[in-house]
Amino acid sequence: MRIATFILTLLILQGCFNKKDNEMSYTRSSDTIPITAQLSFSLFQYKHPFIYFLNADSNQLIVINSEQKKMVANIQIPQSLYNNTDPGGIHSFYVHNHDSIFLQDLYGFSIIDSAGRIKYHKTINSPGLNHWPPILYNNIGGVFPMYYDATLNKLFTRQYSGEKMMNEKGFYTIKVEANMDLNDSIMRELPVEYPPLYVKNYCGEANLAFREMDDSANIYSFMASPDIVIYNRYNGHVRHLTAKSKLQNQGFKPLSLEYSEDMNRKVDHMVENPLYMKIIYDKYRSCYYRMLLNGKELKNKDGSYNTFSDKELIVSVFDKDFQLLTDVNLGSNYLWNYSFATPKGLYILKISNDTYIKQATINEKNLIFDVINFNNGHARM
């Protein structure tokens, strides 16, 4: 299967006062949530006041009440959904409610309830004897989780080429998302593509696509590009916008294709270049956050070398029309993928001295979040 094994290591390598940056003030505080389980590094969902984590060790969904600071449920995933798959395990999940929990494994979709009973299953990736189908549907890279729109009764998922490798231009000509209407179980692609930059150049490992959902739209971000794509789920309208941080310190430089098998050079390329990561919709403040890992020189003046974990995290805040409100440099040492908007502010997981990460899982006693609150904390509930 064409999944870049390097991508998940990306997620591993990423840091009370008032401050003014541009024209918008913010506060930064801390919140600690105790945990007792080994968590998947990238699979989680926040749905106020609950945080749903995948326990990668036992294939359970751990439900934590973020206000009470305790685990309130432990949902066992049926063994038939994660055994005998290659690679095994759950690749994505979405909790609509406790009677409709959507799961995605390598081969298909399922719906279970909080008791672990399977209510629906559909095979969508059915390999032939020696090959995968031309189009695959899966949470590639762990950063494009499935989503269910109850109004449309449609399930949205990442789609990508089952025939082309990520260093081939043909990989980037495939639409990035499809949906499945649960009324007929047919997959239909959406009119959203990679930016032309990816077809014209080789971008190394900066090839992830991210997608966020707001009340009516899917918002897409691509690592090598300051541009975004907005797709309206209800009328099919597509908009292309630039959502660039003013703190971006250089333009993205493509990599020569001759280095496509040179992991050391590809890692250096990731360190040197600015990389746009996920977008978060804050429904409590009617704004969007876009995360940028700024470019970094490989070698410092003292002769030491920088690594991916030294890249500084920039959070850009946009209004509902994607007009830039402010940029904030939070520094390094953040697990930026573990971030979500709450009534209290933007939560971003910090790397602490107790953080232990192995094989895309997190083992630690407490999750320590920085809580960034813009607009003086005025949120609508």
Side-chain angles (χ1 to χ4, degrees), residues 53-69:
F53 293 104
L54 178 68
N55 183 336
D57 212 22
S58 60
N59 281 283
Q60 297 172 320
L61 283 181
I62 307 299
V63 187
I64 296 176
N65 188 309
S66 61
E67 295 182 344
Q68 298 176 358
K69 305 294 181 65

Side-chain angles (χ1 to χ4, degrees), residues 94-96 100 102 104 109-111 120 145-158 177-191 211 213-216 218 220 231-237:
Y94 179 79
V95 179
H96 177 57
S100 297
F102 294 82
Q104 186 173 19
F109 295 123
S110 301
I111 302 175
Y120 173 89
M146 65 200 306
Y147 176 82
Y148 172 66
D149 186 312
T151 301
L152 297 173
N153 198 29
K154 291 180 179 180
L155 195 60
F156 291 79
T157 182
R158 178 76 160 95
E177 186 165 29
N179 64 40
M180 183 178 74
D181 191 325
L182 295 186
N183 295 312
D184 59 21
S185 297
I186 296 175
M187 302 297 299
R188 297 175 175 88
E189 66 179 18
L190 307 184
R211 185 260 289 127
M213 317 293 276
D214 67 17
D215 297 335
S216 61
N218 302 11
Y220 302 87
Y231 168 77
N232 189 299
R233 297 190 298 278
Y234 300 106
N235 62 23
H237 184 245

Side-chain angles (χ1 to χ4, degrees), residues 53-122:
F53 293 104
L54 178 68
N55 183 336
D57 212 22
S58 60
N59 281 283
Q60 297 172 320
L61 283 181
I62 307 299
V63 187
I64 296 176
N65 188 309
S66 61
E67 295 182 344
Q68 298 176 358
K69 305 294 181 65
K70 67 178 183 179
M71 186 175 73
V72 294
N74 190 342
I75 302 169
Q76 182 65 54
I77 297 171
Q79 189 175 29
S80 62
L81 298 183
Y82 60 84
N83 272 4
N84 303 317
T85 60
D86 182 23
I90 300 301
H91 293 190
S92 183
F93 71 85
Y94 179 79
V95 179
H96 177 57
N97 55 47
H98 281 193
D99 286 323
S100 297
I101 301 169
F102 294 82
L103 303 173
Q104 186 173 19
D105 60 37
L106 179 59
Y107 298 109
F109 295 123
S110 301
I111 302 175
I112 66 170
D113 60 19
S114 58
R117 293 182 291 256
I118 300 175
K119 303 170 64 177
Y120 173 89
H121 180 76
K122 171 69 174 178

Side-chain angles (χ1 to χ4, degrees), residues 210-267:
F210 300 83
R211 185 260 289 127
E212 175 64 308
M213 317 293 276
D214 67 17
D215 297 335
S216 61
N218 302 11
I219 302 102
Y220 302 87
S221 176
F222 304 88
M223 293 178 73
S225 176
D227 298 333
I228 63 172
V229 181
I230 301 175
Y231 168 77
N232 189 299
R233 297 190 298 278
Y234 300 106
N235 62 23
H237 184 245
V238 178
R239 290 190 294 155
H240 297 262
L241 302 175
T242 297
K244 184 177 181 179
S245 168
K246 289 184 177 179
L247 298 183
Q248 180 178 332
N249 56 9
Q250 59 181 296
F252 182 89
K253 299 179 180 64
L255 186 64
S256 172
L257 192 58
E258 67 181 289
Y259 296 115
S260 62
E261 301 299 326
D262 186 338
M263 186 56 70
N264 289 329
R265 183 66 192 95
K266 289 194 291 185
V267 171

Side-chain angles (χ1 to χ4, degrees), residues 294-340:
N294 232 344
K296 196 79 174 176
E297 294 287 338
L298 282 180
K299 191 174 183 179
N300 298 311
K301 292 181 179 179
D302 62 4
S304 61
Y305 287 86
N306 290 309
T307 65
F308 200 93
S309 61
D310 296 313
K311 292 170 73 71
E312 294 179 333
L313 175 63
I314 309 297
V315 176
S316 300
V317 186
F318 296 87
D319 67 14
K320 61 182 178 62
D321 299 314
F322 268 95
Q323 297 298 308
L324 180 64
L325 299 176
T326 193
D327 293 292
V328 176
N329 187 337
L330 295 180
S332 57
N333 295 315
Y334 284 91
L335 295 175
W336 57 267
N337 190 54
Y338 263 123
S339 51
F340 46 88

